[in-house]
Amino acid sequence: MSEARSSEKATEDPPRKRYRRDELSHSESEDEYVPYVPVKERRKEQLSKLGRLTQLKEQEQRGKSSSENEHDEEDEDGQVWGRKSNISLLDQHTELKKLAEAKKESAMERQLKEEEKILESVAEKKALMGVAELAKGIQYEDPIKTSWTPPKYILAMPEEKHEEMRRQLRILVEGEDVPPPTRSFREMKLHHAILSGLERKGIIKPSPIQVQGIPTVLAGRDIIGIAFTGSGKTLVFILPLIMFCLEQETKLPFIKDEGPYGLIICPSRELAKQTFDIIRYYCECLTASGAPEIRSCLAIGGVPVSESLEVIHRGVHIMVATPGRLMDMLDKKMVKLDVCRYLCMDEADRMIDMGFEEDVRTIFSFFCGQRQTLLFSATMPKKIQNFARSALVKPVTINVGRAGAASMNVIQEVEYVKQEAKIVYLLECLQKTPPPVLIFAEKKQDVDAIHEYLLLKGVEAVAIHGGKDQEERSRSVEAFRNGQKDLLVATDVASKGLDFPNVQHVINYDMPDDVENYVHRIGRTGRSGKTGIATTFINKANDESVLLDLKHLLIEAKQKVPPFLAELQSENEKYLDLGDGRGCSYCGGLGHRITDCPKLEAIQNKQASNIGRRDYLASNAADY
Ligand code: AMP
């Protein structure tokens, strides 16, 4: 109905005229109102009048198109990326990839530069020289000359032959005029009594470090010897020294109070004693064959000074010492280094690390002439190498295996053991191999606790740490060495350089704070070509940084990496290998760079806290 009505109405009304008009004119016409025209519009009008409207339109158009491409990016160089009519997306992608690579490279460069700066700031500014030499500005240019020469036919060989031998034995050398490697002890022209002494010990063929090291030392050269633990480096510095002393004694016998001619410094008393015993063995071989007597003495804490003095008074050829006792004897003028021409620092980096740096510098100041200097260690980070170079004359660096690498003869097992479960699990762990077994712990209390527990369980164990007196320490080490005791529990005093025969298993009751110590500890097994096992307990209490170092060490040594270590990732892992040598250039850890080195940070913190303390102490001292 309504529909009909409306249609009627439509027919009644005159048709409405339809027309278009714009809003402005509509409002103008309707309300007679002139609205506000924005300044922008008015300016546009004005400009159009001036004939610039077309230009403006173009600009507007450009603006519009860029806002349409909301995802287009403007990079740091002000370049716009995105849909472009003239460059294909593929080309743009390639271009962007190149830019990203360049950026990555510069990040690497930045990292390297930063590292260089850090290394420079921690590098030793003071040369490792005696004060008199420093004061007089004495610099030795040429190595010491000796009467030893390699056999003629070896000298006649072309250098390529020597290089090939080094390649076969994986010996890396650096330095000027490196003496040729020599494959047998006989060709090294050692005394026949020494040769038979070596044979009696079952030492028939020189090990790689000996092949290159012994001729180099015999030729009078300074060396930095880097070889994994148990590789036979002790003989490299002992045998040539005995030969030199024999030559000296034959030419001009040592008189009362003369000597020592050679000085060997070790970081621990046990290592010094062990080295001394080896020297004595070869000297006795010589005397037994009718050669002149070569006298040696041991100067370590815990042993009466009178014992060393007795030998010194008779004229001493070789002295083996720890830094503390040696300093004491030098200060008291009990011993002089005026005829000393041969200095060897065994486990040199540990010595510097353990804070003996100033002592070593002081010891250097007691020398009166040029000496042949030898530095040996299994771990030798760059900082120490740089530091050492200042003390050496045209040194030859001999590297057998990466500095800081673990012996490949050790099977390394890492197990997650909760703190409270450790001691019980230890017993289970002991079932892995027959004795002898070495157990390491960081703290003296832990060593005592483990020792007590094992004794209660009926295990034949002995223990050593810095808190025990020297007599007890020596007795325990001897009992373990002779096989009277099955087990030795120790702190790191026993981790450096000590050579116990046939250790089957090294158990790290805890992971040391420093991965270098780990390398030294596990190096007590798998020695001289034999294999051994090392088990290490780790848990949440361990610092992540050292665990990362451990992870990368295991990867390097092609060992099994347990899942909890494999999962561990560091933020800076992409920077671990920048092609400049891997890992940290300060401590040698493989799991971090120098920029994240916890050891360096600890040292710097200590130095920082010492600044205040020293002032405080100084002011206190002034009061007294
Ligand atoms: P070192 O690394 O000097 O502590 O020596 C580790 C062990 O290897 C010692 O027990 C040495 O007697 C033994 N050793 C050293 N040189 C050789 C060699 N050329 N052949 C077999 N055993 C060796």
Side-chain angles (χ1 to χ4, degrees):
M1 191 50 199
S2 66
E3 248 176 45
R5 214 183 291 149
S6 71
S7 64
E8 267 170 41
K9 205 175 174 208
T11 44
E12 277 168 22
D13 284 348
R16 247 199 192 157
K17 191 181 173 191
R18 291 177 67 242
Y19 62 94
R20 266 182 230 280
R21 58 185 172 186
D22 61 41
E23 268 177 36
L24 195 64
S25 58
H26 169 80
S27 63
E28 266 173 7
S29 63
E30 260 185 11
D31 312 326
E32 298 286 289
Y33 168 69
V34 181
Y36 166 72
V37 180
V39 182
K40 219 168 141 188
E41 293 291 331
R42 274 185 273 151
R43 205 170 278 161
K44 220 189 259 181
E45 259 171 7
Q46 264 177 342
L47 282 173
S48 74
K49 276 181 202 155
L50 292 170
R52 284 194 56 203
L53 195 58
T54 34
Q55 207 179 332
L56 258 175
K57 266 189 185 151
E58 269 171 26
Q59 275 177 11
E60 205 174 59
Q61 197 61 35
R62 246 181 275 144
K64 224 188 205 168
S65 73
S66 74
S67 70
E68 264 170 21
N69 293 336
E70 266 177 12
H71 300 294
D72 290 357
E73 283 166 25
E74 195 170 303
D75 73 0
E76 283 164 19
D77 313 322
Q79 216 162 337
V80 180
W81 298 96
R83 262 181 275 152
K84 280 183 188 173
S85 53
N86 52 348
I87 308 177
S88 78
L89 278 174
L90 187 68
D91 287 346
Q92 286 185 44
H93 172 74
T94 327
E95 196 85 352
L96 274 171
K97 229 167 121 187
K98 265 191 220 156
L99 276 175
E101 299 262 288
K103 258 187 217 163
K104 206 164 99 195
E105 241 168 54
S106 65
M108 265 189 191
E109 273 166 19
R110 240 178 287 141
Q111 172 82 12
L112 281 175
K113 258 190 206 145
E114 196 182 330
E115 292 192 358
E116 216 169 89
K117 254 191 232 157
I118 297 174
L119 200 60
E120 214 170 85
S121 71
V122 296
E124 271 310 314
K125 300 281 185 301
K126 281 192 272 178
L128 191 59
M129 288 161 83
V131 272
E133 286 164 5
L134 275 175
K136 290 179 192 159
I138 299 173
Q139 285 270 351
Y140 302 107
E141 299 291 339
D142 292 311
I144 281 189
K145 293 219 162 31
T146 64
S147 58
W148 184 88
T149 51
K152 283 208 177 73
Y153 63 91
I154 292 185
L155 269 182
M157 282 182 191
E159 186 55 34
E160 293 84 68
K161 280 257 175 233
H162 303 320
E163 267 165 24
E164 196 187 314
M165 190 189 290
R166 288 185 193 119
R167 232 188 343 266
Q168 275 172 6
L169 296 174
R170 306 216 171 127
I171 305 169
L172 299 174
V173 289
E174 257 176 62
E176 288 173 40
D177 303 325
V178 181
T182 310
R183 266 236 156 114
S184 75
F185 288 118
R186 204 166 291 278
E187 288 168 327
M188 292 173 192
K189 302 182 183 171
L190 299 174
H191 193 281
H192 63 86
I194 292 184
L195 291 178
S196 36
L198 282 169
E199 248 168 66
R200 271 200 297 282
K201 287 261 175 199
I203 301 176
I204 315 291
K205 248 177 74 185
S207 66
I209 185 83
Q210 293 164 351
V211 164
Q212 182 63 66
I214 296 180
T216 312
V217 182
L218 283 169
R221 300 294 298 270
D222 284 1
I223 70 171
I224 296 178
I226 304 162
F228 55 88
T229 51
S231 57
K233 57 184 150 64
T234 316
L235 292 183
V236 177
F237 57 85
I238 282 183
L239 298 182
L241 175 58
I242 295 177
M243 290 299 293
F244 293 149
C245 292
L246 190 62
E247 189 185 17
Q248 292 290 321
E249 181 65 22
T250 314
K251 276 189 193 155
L252 192 67
F254 273 54
I255 54 164
K256 241 168 113 278
D257 289 318
E258 197 178 8
Y261 180 82
L263 176 64
I264 296 166
I265 312 176
C266 306
S268 76
R269 296 172 184 181
E270 278 75 17
L271 182 58
K273 170 85 170 56
Q274 177 183 292
T275 309
F276 173 70
D277 288 341
I278 301 173
I279 294 175
R280 226 173 27 181
Y281 168 77
Y282 291 104
C283 291
E284 277 164 11
C285 292
L286 282 175
T287 329
S289 77
E293 186 193 16
I294 303 298
R295 289 177 291 275
S296 49
C297 76
L298 180 65
I300 57 170
V303 169
V305 184
S306 55
E307 276 184 29
S308 344
L309 283 180
E310 197 238 327
V311 189
I312 293 169
H313 287 325
R314 289 171 56 210
V316 64
H317 299 90
I318 302 171
M319 182 182 234
V320 187
T322 46
R325 173 58 65 93
L326 178 63
M327 287 272 290
D328 193 40
M329 291 179 78
L330 285 167
D331 277 344
K332 293 182 178 151
K333 299 199 167 42
M334 290 172 174
V335 62
K336 286 192 235 128
L337 299 181
D338 46 1
V339 297
C340 194
R341 295 286 175 272
Y342 187 100
L343 171 70
C344 172
M345 295 211 285
D346 195 9
E347 307 293 345
D349 64 319
R350 310 301 306 147
M351 205 125 64
I352 306 291
D353 256 9
M354 285 162 77
F356 289 129
E357 191 179 312
E358 266 318 303
D359 289 357
V360 169
R361 218 181 286 282
T362 314
I363 292 165
F364 268 74
S365 67
F366 283 92
F367 280 85
C368 297
Q370 187 177 355
R371 70 233 143 226
Q372 185 177 358
T373 313
L374 294 80
L375 305 177
F376 279 93
S377 191
T379 53
M380 189 83 76
K382 222 190 242 165
K383 181 214 164 186
I384 313 283
Q385 285 191 43
N386 292 345
F387 165 69
R389 275 211 177 87
S390 64
L392 309 184
V393 183
K394 291 195 180 149
V396 177
T397 305
I398 305 173
N399 194 333
V400 182
R402 184 187 69 82
S407 164
M408 298 299 261
N409 295 337
V410 182
I411 300 163
Q412 301 175 53
E413 292 177 2
V414 177
E415 299 186 28
Y416 191 96
V417 188
K418 280 189 189 159
Q419 203 66 19
E420 58 278 11
K422 273 181 176 180
I423 200 133
V424 180
Y425 185 63
L426 193 63
L427 273 188
E428 204 176 302
C429 219
L430 286 175
Q431 309 302 321
K432 280 191 192 178
T433 66
V437 176
L438 246 169
I439 301 174
F440 283 109
E442 287 274 276
K443 296 189 194 121
K444 294 175 198 168
Q445 304 96 289
D446 284 338
V447 167
D448 286 335
I450 298 166
H451 186 205
E452 212 177 300
Y453 178 77
L454 292 174
L455 289 179
L456 278 174
K457 296 284 171 194
V459 181
E460 288 284 336
V462 277
I464 63 164
H465 58 64
K468 293 186 182 275
D469 68 60
Q470 189 54 39
E471 209 174 301
E472 193 183 347
R473 276 165 71 169
S474 302
R475 228 182 312 121
S476 305
V477 167
E478 272 323 295
F480 182 64
R481 203 190 292 273
N482 300 338
Q484 289 165 309
K485 297 285 174 183
D486 291 337
L487 235 142
L488 175 67
V489 193
T491 54
D492 279 313
V493 292
S495 73
K496 285 144 223 142
L498 285 196
D499 180 41
F500 300 109
N502 298 326
V503 171
Q504 302 291 313
H505 190 183
V506 169
I507 301 176
N508 287 316
Y509 186 75
D510 42 33
M511 176 69 198
D513 288 340
D514 193 327
V515 81
E516 284 169 63
N517 268 349
Y518 170 84
V519 174
H520 282 277
R521 282 182 180 186
I522 66 166
R524 298 313 101 210
T525 183
R527 296 172 77 78
S528 39
K530 299 193 187 91
T531 51
I533 300 181
T535 306
T536 305
F537 298 171
I538 61 166
N539 56 34
K540 282 198 196 105
N542 292 116
D543 193 48
E544 193 172 292
S545 168
V546 77
L547 293 184
L548 275 166
D549 287 345
L550 177 62
K551 170 182 151 183
H552 287 276
L553 196 75
L554 292 179
I555 296 172
E556 184 192 41
K558 301 194 171 53
Q559 301 287 318
K560 237 176 38 205
V561 180
F564 47 86
L565 270 190
E567 278 165 19
L568 218 63
Q569 295 265 316
S570 88
E571 278 175 32
N572 288 335
E573 231 158 10
K574 59 177 180 287
Y575 289 134
L576 284 182
D577 190 357
L578 296 185
D580 64 325
R582 294 165 50 203
C584 175
S585 47
Y586 183 75
C587 76
L590 290 178
H592 65 271
R593 303 285 301 183
I594 190 172
T595 37
D596 310 306
C597 179
K599 197 165 157 188
L600 179 59
E601 197 184 321
I603 287 175
Q604 282 171 339
N605 285 347
K606 205 168 146 200
Q607 278 171 352
S609 64
N610 268 352
I611 295 171
R613 193 169 304 154
R614 218 176 279 150
D615 284 343
Y616 168 76
L617 286 176
S619 63
N620 264 2
D623 292 342
Y624 288 98

